[in-house]
Amino acid sequence: MLLLLPIAVNALLALAPLQARPLLACRADHAGRRNPVRWHAGRMTAMDPEAEALPDAPIPGLTTVSANEHGPSGAVPAADECPPEDVTALELLRFTLPVLTAALSAEIMSVVDTAVVGTLGPQQLAALGPATMLSDSTVYLFFWLNVACTNLFATHFARGEHRDAFAVLSDALYVSLACAALLVVGLSWGGGAALARICAMAPGALPGAKQYLAIRILGVPALMTATVLQGACTGMKDATTPFIAIVLGGLLNLALDLWLVLGCGMGIAGAAS
């Protein structure tokens, strides 16, 4: 995780000066308004019928698109509003780093479990590894729910179609619960056999691994619905709320691990709880 952070930061800083190619041009008239215009066959056409006439000569401060970028005619699709202002590197970091943290939340909590269970001895730690790998990797098979919810929710929300956006969220939550139920049934039925094959070289770790997996899969529905809700927040450009929830959940996970594993003596079962 620590290796990914500088890579992400450097990529964002490198991409920050780049601007998306506008589909239309904008200019400020004498009243200070930003009027959208389109460029077709070397001539500007005002999108606002009340805007003042545009001369053929270049206008200082006008953003245009060259003809070779959109074919020989230089035609640019029409739009109803000016392109948004440039996004700064700081704004990208404020949005991207919390999203990156949210994507790594399961790994972070697994590392906390590993650190606490590791104090109990090598056998408990050996049991934790296969069970964590099996539970986390199977949940990642359904990460497409997060991607689909983010894209569809953001599309409707950006258009002002809030009812449709939350209808997408509702459907995604139902689908996530159905997928979670299938995953819980599948791991309950075949998880023990899979762990037996994984722990074939260390049979002493198998009972602890089965115990951890049996408890861990009970939280799969909550994890998958949280993934969908995180996608909806990302679609609204709200990266702060999932970040706060993950930080609070991580602190609670650490406190409960210390209390249940070390204080109550529950061992690996306390880490899974």
Side-chain angles (χ1 to χ4, degrees):
M1 183 184 69
L2 294 178
L3 294 176
L4 292 176
L5 286 178
I7 296 174
V9 171
N10 290 332
L12 289 174
L13 292 176
L15 292 174
L18 300 179
Q19 302 178 10
R21 293 180 178 177
L23 295 181
L24 72 162
C26 274
R27 74 177 186 91
D29 59 14
H30 295 297
R33 298 181 304 169
R34 297 178 70 238
N35 294 323
V37 297
R38 59 183 174 184
W39 187 272
H40 180 73
R43 183 177 181 83
M44 292 176 293
T45 304
M47 299 296 297
D48 185 359
E50 298 181 358
E52 60 187 39
L54 296 172
D56 292 335
I59 300 175
L62 178 67
T63 303
T64 60
V65 182
S66 60
N68 58 5
E69 293 183 5
H70 293 280
S73 65
V76 180
D80 296 329
E81 60 182 12
C82 293
E85 299 292 338
D86 296 338
V87 179
T88 64
L90 182 59
E91 291 172 338
L92 286 173
L93 289 174
R94 287 176 177 174
F95 180 78
T96 306
L97 291 182
V99 172
L100 178 63
T101 304
L104 297 175
S105 59
E107 288 84 354
I108 295 173
M109 293 189 181
S110 295
V111 168
V112 172
D113 290 347
T114 302
V116 176
V117 173
T119 62
L120 301 178
Q123 186 170 349
Q124 296 276 0
L125 188 60
L128 182 66
T132 301
M133 180 271 296
L134 184 61
S135 60
D136 290 349
S137 59
T138 50
V139 169
Y140 283 143
L141 295 176
F142 298 92
F143 192 74
W144 54 267
L145 286 168
N146 176 278
V147 177
C149 182
T150 300
N151 293 338
L152 295 175
F153 189 93
T155 300
H156 289 294
F157 197 82
R159 294 174 179 171
E161 302 168 351
H162 294 177
R163 184 182 296 272
D164 292 337
F166 285 100
V168 168
L169 175 59
S170 177
D171 293 341
L173 287 173
Y174 281 119
V175 173
S176 67
L177 289 175
C179 293
L182 291 175
L183 183 57
V184 169
V185 172
L187 288 176
S188 300
W189 177 70
L195 288 176
R197 294 180 64 88
I198 296 173
C199 300
M201 302 300 295
L206 183 59
K210 288 184 176 180
Q211 185 182 22
Y212 182 89
L213 181 63
I215 300 174
R216 184 72 177 264
I217 61 177
L218 298 179
V220 168
L223 178 60
M224 294 186 68
T225 53
T227 300
V228 170
L229 292 174
Q230 176 198 338
C233 290
T234 305
M236 291 187 291
K237 296 197 297 185
D238 177 15
T240 304
T241 300
F243 178 73
I244 294 175
I246 289 167
V247 170
L248 294 178
L251 294 175
L252 180 61
N253 180 58
L254 175 60
L256 289 177
D257 276 355
L258 294 174
W259 179 48
L260 295 175
V261 175
L262 302 180
C264 298
M266 294 179 61
I268 193 172
S273 300

